[in-house]
Amino acid sequence: MKIHLSSVFVDDQDKALRFYTDVLGFVKKTEVPLGKDRWLTVVSAEDPDGTELLLEPDGHPAVKPYKAALVKDGIPATSFAVDDVHAEFGRLRELGVHFTQEPVEMGPVTTAVLDDTCGNLIQIVHSK
């Protein structure tokens, strides 16, 4: 068994697609119209056949309070692996990305947390 799909709830699919592709560097994998929304996924450019991330609309009534509570408590919605947290932090900061946590080394892992502009905190992590 392996993870095929994960999702992150977003407040605007177009804005999310721009951020996740133009800023974070993912590539669009699937786009299927579903009424006013879309089944919209991105994947790692390094692993185009790997796990897909669904940019899921946050229209369900339970989602916005859930997202707000996570952000208020500083809890990331998901985590992405990078080769070098410090380098990625610098690259993303140059692009104007807002971080709620600068790189922190915690034993064998280094993490940082960013705002995805779509209502979520996202953790980037590197394990030694």
Side-chain angles (χ1 to χ4, degrees):
M1 188 176 304
K2 64 181 181 176
I3 298 170
H4 167 71
L5 177 81
S6 186
S7 63
V8 63
F9 291 107
V10 298
D11 58 13
D12 180 307
Q13 286 186 303
D14 291 324
K15 179 174 66 170
L17 182 60
R18 283 189 303 275
F19 183 82
Y20 281 79
T21 57
D22 296 346
V23 177
L24 296 185
F26 291 103
V27 293
K28 181 169 69 171
K29 172 91 177 201
T30 307
E31 183 172 4
V32 178
L34 297 170
K36 67 178 183 73
D37 297 315
R38 296 166 283 168
W39 181 266
L40 182 61
T41 68
V42 295
V43 293
S44 169
E46 299 170 13
D47 189 12
D49 294 320
T51 304
E52 295 179 51
L53 180 68
L54 175 63
L55 303 176
E56 188 162 0
D58 66 0
H60 187 281
V63 174
K64 288 184 187 192
Y66 167 75
K67 285 173 51 178
L70 289 179
V71 169
K72 180 179 179 232
D73 290 342
I75 300 171
T78 195
S79 182
F80 300 139
V82 298
D83 291 333
D84 182 334
V85 169
H86 293 282
E88 195 65 12
F89 171 81
R91 181 186 80 80
L92 293 172
R93 183 160 261 174
E94 285 290 316
L95 293 173
V97 173
H98 171 70
F99 280 81
T100 61
Q101 176 200 302
E102 294 194 5
V104 174
E105 294 185 25
M106 298 176 281
V109 300
T110 303
T111 66
V113 178
L114 61 94
D115 179 338
D116 78 348
T117 75
C118 303
N120 303 289
L121 298 178
I122 304 294
Q123 180 180 66
I124 57 174
V125 63
H126 171 77
S127 299
K128 294 179 186 173

